[in-house]
Amino acid sequence: MAEKLKRLGLRTVRDLLFLLPIRYEDRTRIQPISGAQPGRKVQIDGMINRARIIMGRRRSLICALRDTSAEITLRFFHFTRQQQAGLRSGTRLLCYGEVRQGPRGLEMVHPEYRRLGESEAAPVEDRLTPVYPATEGVTQPRLRKLAGYALKNAMDDLPELIPQRHLSRLRLPGLLEALRAVHRPPRGMALETLLSGQHPARRRLALEEILAWHLGLRRLRETGQQRNAVALRPEGGLRRKFLARLPFDLTEGQAKAIAEIDADLARAAPMMRLLQGDVGCGKTVVIAAAVLAAVQSGRQAAVMAPTELLAEQHMRTLSDWLEPLGVRLAWLVGGMPRAERRAFEAQLAGGDAQVGIGTHALFQEAVEYRALGLAVVDEQHRFGVHQRLRLVEKGQADAAIPHQLVTTATPIPRSLAMTFYAGLDISAIRDMPPGRRPVNTALVSQERRAKVIERVAAACRAGRQAYWVCPLIDESEHIESSAVEPTYRELRDALAGIRVGLLHGRADPRQRDQVMADFASGKLSVLVATTVIEVGVDIPRASLMIVENAERMGLAQLHQLRGRVGRGEEESHCVLMYRSPLGQIAKERLNTMRNSNDGFEIARKDLALRGAGEILGVRQTGALQFRVADLVRDGALAEPAQRIADDMLRSNPNEVEQLISRWVGEGDRYAQV
Ligand code: ADP
Ligand code: MG
């Protein structure tokens, strides 16, 4: 059980308290059968009128259940002889389940039920029934029981950490009251407010989580500032040669960002800087310039990317740029064979490699750096806080810690930035390399797929290159290839004489590297891929992007994907294919994509649409994942959180520590790295 619970991030009994229900069921009332509506879940109490087995397409047990108001059908496809015996005519049942329209009127398929004595009072719950996020092998009743246990036994040593005066001012309840309310809402509590996150109990917990992260970030800054870093010399032969060899001039934004970074690096205190700039603005050049400052000063640099694919690409780009200058690079991703991993570790520990590139594997225990001077977290997720915590620890031995540069393409509103990027100085690149032309975006229904394929064929014959992206049906590894393979085969057959490649995240790193290299060199004309290509991939000659099932993707993700084209001289096109009918919000999202190429504009729209109540069925790139808080919904809590943080740092330093470890604590920190 412990193993299974770990998948939900649950390690201690106390963790159970912070696993919040995703919805609730109302079993506090019994409804007349006549009031049942398709699509709704209800609890009913009635007598079985008739029961029989029918042999339709599937053998099933059918019971007619009647109360004083009406009759409904219960349908069971799986049942034991014993269950069948218990469902005889004349039996009284208390049932809970979803109502649907059956072939002959309303029915419930496999309702939860229990038999009642003829004159027994129906046992209704006095609280709403919580439904928790599911994980394989742990049933809802089990989770409910565990949560109940935690509510009984883990509350005593759960101190209130937010000073009462702040809670009173915001009219928010204490911690224990809030936890009880969300796990065991009393009958009659307004479900809508609880689920929309507007309920004070939810807001109270969200506030605490935001506050904890804010404090954690600020503490990271403070501990950093108390430590030394090795001052790096940004100017020097390497930098000069690098810039001279680049096939382009820096944009103003790039030059300014580099100057800001240089000023930080030259100090003996660790840099903690966020580099923000829209997809395609050229952040990699800035990273390279910073890396060279470390190398020039006899120090090492580490560059971490969120996906293996991006790490591989950084390896290619950075070796193209830096190896001719005599810089030695090494790379590491998760799936590498042990021997290569060892070699990598040895190169960094011995100082043979001056630059290490990889995924989060870079900051695992076994990786020791001889003299790490700069750590870059590219396209950071979850603020890269976990990785940065690890880094501060890695530096402990010689008291100097590395300079830190974190990059992101995800713009967030100012009010949120104050809190979520607390403790980071910000450099923003607001311009694009010259000659970029906006990508033309078209929305095309799935029904015209054949036409789209024809267009791709014609374009490829004219020498163009295209990405064809299929979304993941499911994030599990088996499905990942099956999401793209049929499309790959279809296109390969339909595009006679055109070379088509296939790419997905689970492929062997070397194979993937080869496919990317072939696409980059023009050997492949079409690259069929999952959304693995969404972050960072940079192949300027590709000028066509086809996205299937675009209606299922979030705006941030679509913007990232489209950002893969429009990087070269050629006019670029993006075709967003959708399946009809489109929901209102999906329609607005796709229209936003058609009408705008501006990342800030799109992010604003994204927040507005999500704020409008969209349920996120899709992973958002760079999404900031919290246990309780939601970046959009709880945005208004960012300011109060900051005020409370100021106050607590002055007057409640002990609580600050506890608060951070409660939400950003040990277990979590290592799990995420
Ligand atoms: P991102 O900010 O999304 O990481 P990249 O660093 O991948 O962007 O850069 C996007 C593309 O723009 C790359 O092909 C890069 O070589 C090119 N590029 C970067 N800076 C310039 C510039 N100043 N002039 C022209 N092209 C540039
Ligand atoms: Mg990038």
Side-chain angles (χ1 to χ4, degrees):
M1 183 58 62
E3 278 303 310
K4 289 175 184 157
L5 290 173
K6 232 186 240 169
R7 273 185 255 141
L8 286 171
L10 305 174
R11 280 170 191 76
T12 65
V13 175
R14 184 189 290 183
D15 286 341
L16 285 162
L17 294 173
F18 294 97
L19 177 76
L20 300 195
I22 43 176
R23 55 191 176 80
Y24 300 89
E25 292 176 346
D26 188 353
R27 300 170 194 223
T28 66
R29 288 175 302 158
I30 290 175
Q31 278 163 333
I33 293 176
S34 61
Q37 284 168 11
R40 287 282 180 86
K41 291 192 161 186
V42 291
Q43 181 163 252
I44 53 181
D45 174 2
M47 194 78 85
I48 297 182
N49 233 359
R50 297 178 305 278
R52 64 195 169 106
I53 301 233
I54 60 163
M55 307 301 281
R57 254 186 316 154
R58 282 167 80 188
R59 179 170 173 269
S60 54
L61 170 62
I62 302 285
C63 307
L65 190 79
R66 130 171 308 278
D67 67 5
T68 52
S69 73
E71 195 175 276
I72 191 169
T73 303
L74 311 182
R75 189 183 291 273
F76 299 88
F77 295 109
H78 318 280
F79 48 92
T80 60
R81 190 162 297 171
Q82 214 176 359
Q83 280 166 330
Q84 186 189 347
L87 291 169
R88 262 202 297 261
S89 148
T91 311
R92 182 176 162 211
L93 292 185
L94 180 68
C95 286
Y96 181 86
E98 186 174 324
V99 178
R100 67 169 208 187
Q101 191 65 50
R104 268 182 239 95
L106 296 183
E107 60 179 33
M108 275 183 181
V109 177
H110 281 278
E112 294 174 40
Y113 67 88
R114 90 200 229 193
R115 288 158 56 187
L116 297 177
E118 207 162 317
S119 54
E120 194 177 330
V124 291
E125 310 265 335
D126 57 353
R127 316 227 142 222
L128 300 174
T129 309
V131 178
Y132 293 97
T135 186
E136 210 174 302
V138 190
T139 62
Q140 286 296 330
R142 190 63 175 259
L143 278 173
R144 274 172 212 143
K145 243 208 192 117
L146 287 168
Y149 178 84
L151 283 171
K152 273 209 198 72
N153 298 287
M155 300 282 262
D156 292 344
D157 52 350
L158 200 63
E160 178 62 71
L161 298 174
I162 303 183
Q164 185 53 48
R165 54 185 180 279
H166 294 294
L167 294 176
S168 310
R169 196 161 33 81
L170 295 167
R171 299 213 172 97
L172 293 176
L175 178 65
L176 302 191
E177 190 187 332
L179 286 172
R180 276 195 205 98
V182 294
H183 285 285
R184 294 278 181 273
R187 179 199 323 233
M189 184 185 263
L191 266 186
E192 292 74 35
T193 56
L194 204 52
L195 291 178
S196 69
Q198 292 310 308
H199 193 277
R202 278 258 172 192
R203 291 181 53 232
R204 144 73 215 217
L205 295 173
L207 173 74
E208 182 167 322
E209 185 171 37
I210 291 172
L211 176 61
W213 278 92
H214 179 73
L215 286 166
L217 285 160
R218 283 181 48 174
R219 196 189 52 180
L220 194 59
R221 171 94 188 183
E222 271 156 35
T223 17
Q225 295 310 313
Q226 286 157 14
R227 306 273 296 276
N228 295 323
V230 174
L232 304 178
R233 273 188 313 275
E235 302 297 340
L238 284 177
R239 169 74 68 79
R240 254 197 322 278
K241 276 187 219 148
F242 168 64
L243 292 178
R245 286 175 50 97
L246 270 184
F248 46 71
D249 293 328
L250 296 180
T251 63
E252 229 169 87
Q254 286 169 323
K256 183 156 161 283
I258 291 176
E260 285 165 355
I261 290 167
D262 283 353
D264 284 358
L265 293 179
R267 296 173 47 223
M271 167 171 80
M272 297 194 182
R273 187 168 284 277
L274 176 78
L275 174 63
Q276 194 179 23
D278 203 357
V279 188
C281 72
K283 294 183 289 293
T284 321
V285 176
V286 179
I287 292 174
V291 164
L292 282 176
V295 175
Q296 181 85 61
S297 313
R299 294 265 141 182
Q300 291 169 304
V303 179
M304 194 196 88
T307 64
E308 296 189 353
L309 195 67
L310 186 49
E312 288 151 19
Q313 176 183 280
H314 276 334
M315 188 61 200
R316 281 191 302 271
T317 310
L318 295 177
S319 27
D320 280 356
W321 285 341
L322 306 185
E323 270 175 355
L325 310 177
V327 179
R328 299 181 303 274
L329 299 89
W331 71 306
L332 177 70
V333 296
M336 272 189 177
R338 202 170 258 266
E340 278 181 50
R341 218 192 143 83
R342 288 259 171 69
F344 172 85
E345 283 161 15
Q347 283 177 316
L348 284 174
D352 293 335
Q354 294 158 306
V355 183
I357 298 170
T359 53
H360 50 80
L362 271 188
F363 295 133
Q364 270 156 6
E365 229 96 326
V367 183
E368 302 261 353
Y369 295 83
R370 190 178 142 85
L372 186 61
L374 168 72
V376 180
V377 182
D378 190 26
E379 300 287 355
Q380 53 106 27
H381 290 153
R382 204 166 182 177
F383 329 120
V385 171
H386 296 294
Q387 285 80 10
R388 291 171 54 219
L389 281 169
R390 275 311 261 278
L391 280 173
V392 173
E393 284 156 16
K394 278 209 181 291
Q396 257 153 23
D398 63 348
I401 61 175
H403 294 282
Q404 297 161 39
L405 178 63
V406 175
T407 81
T408 183
T410 312
I412 62 176
R414 260 187 88 74
S415 63
L416 293 182
M418 287 190 316
T419 283
F420 293 103
Y421 296 149
L424 288 170
D425 300 309
I426 300 182
S427 292
I429 300 179
R430 296 188 207 286
D431 46 11
M432 282 284 167
R436 290 281 168 86
R437 281 188 280 177
V439 179
N440 295 307
T441 302
L443 313 182
V444 175
S445 158
Q446 177 70 26
E447 286 147 33
R448 290 169 51 208
R449 187 191 174 88
K451 272 260 170 315
V452 174
I453 295 178
E454 261 172 45
R455 232 180 98 179
V456 169
C460 290
R461 294 214 170 85
R464 292 168 143 243
Q465 286 181 282
Y467 294 97
W468 187 294
V469 179
C470 312
L472 293 186
I473 310 295
D474 189 304
E475 304 245 337
S476 81
E477 42 193 283
H478 309 296
I479 317 277
E480 173 148 7
S481 55
S482 70
V484 278
E485 254 154 26
T487 308
Y488 167 64
R489 283 193 298 269
E490 177 194 356
L491 290 177
R492 204 188 40 196
D493 296 345
L495 302 173
I498 293 169
R499 291 199 53 188
V500 182
L502 172 64
L503 188 80
H504 58 79
R506 294 286 153 186
D508 175 76
R510 237 160 303 274
Q511 203 183 329
R512 229 169 22 211
D513 201 36
Q514 188 60 50
V515 171
M516 288 307 285
D518 287 348
F519 191 56
S521 71
K523 261 196 214 155
L524 292 172
S525 296
V526 178
L527 186 63
V528 180
T530 57
T531 45
V532 285
I533 62 153
E534 97 189 51
V535 253
V537 167
D538 178 44
I539 298 184
R541 17 188 320 173
S543 61
L544 265 177
M545 163 72 59
I546 319 292
V547 183
E548 283 200 66
N549 291 111
E551 80 282 358
R552 296 181 25 189
M553 298 190 193
L555 269 176
Q557 190 173 25
L558 287 171
H559 179 61
Q560 285 274 349
L561 276 173
R562 182 173 60 183
R564 301 306 125 220
V565 294
R567 294 174 166 240
E569 327 260 85
E570 241 172 319
E571 171 125 81
S572 293
H573 297 270
C574 173
V575 176
L576 302 177
M577 282 209 282
Y578 60 87
R579 221 173 266 280
S580 321
L582 277 181
Q584 184 55 38
I585 289 182
K587 198 179 287 173
E588 277 193 54
R589 249 197 266 124
L590 294 181
N591 280 330
T592 303
M593 287 302 293
R594 181 172 54 195
N595 299 335
S596 178
N597 267 287
D598 174 352
F600 280 85
E601 184 56 42
I602 289 172
R604 248 195 306 279
K605 190 72 190 173
D606 193 21
L607 290 182
L609 286 178
R610 292 171 57 197
E614 170 162 340
I615 296 171
L616 285 180
V618 280
R619 189 172 52 91
Q620 293 278 328
T621 299
L624 313 172
Q625 299 277 331
F626 296 100
R627 278 192 266 180
V628 183
D630 178 292
L631 183 61
V632 177
R633 193 183 63 202
D634 300 314
L637 292 172
E639 273 200 57
Q642 191 175 359
R643 271 202 311 276
I644 298 172
D646 289 340
D647 183 34
M648 285 182 72
L649 286 169
R650 266 195 312 272
S651 42
N652 308 65
N654 293 333
E655 278 80 1
V656 167
E657 283 308 307
Q658 289 184 63
L659 201 55
I660 295 172
S661 76
R662 178 180 289 171
W663 291 92
V664 195
E666 287 292 312
D668 194 31
R669 167 159 126 209
Y670 291 102
Q672 296 293 326
V673 167

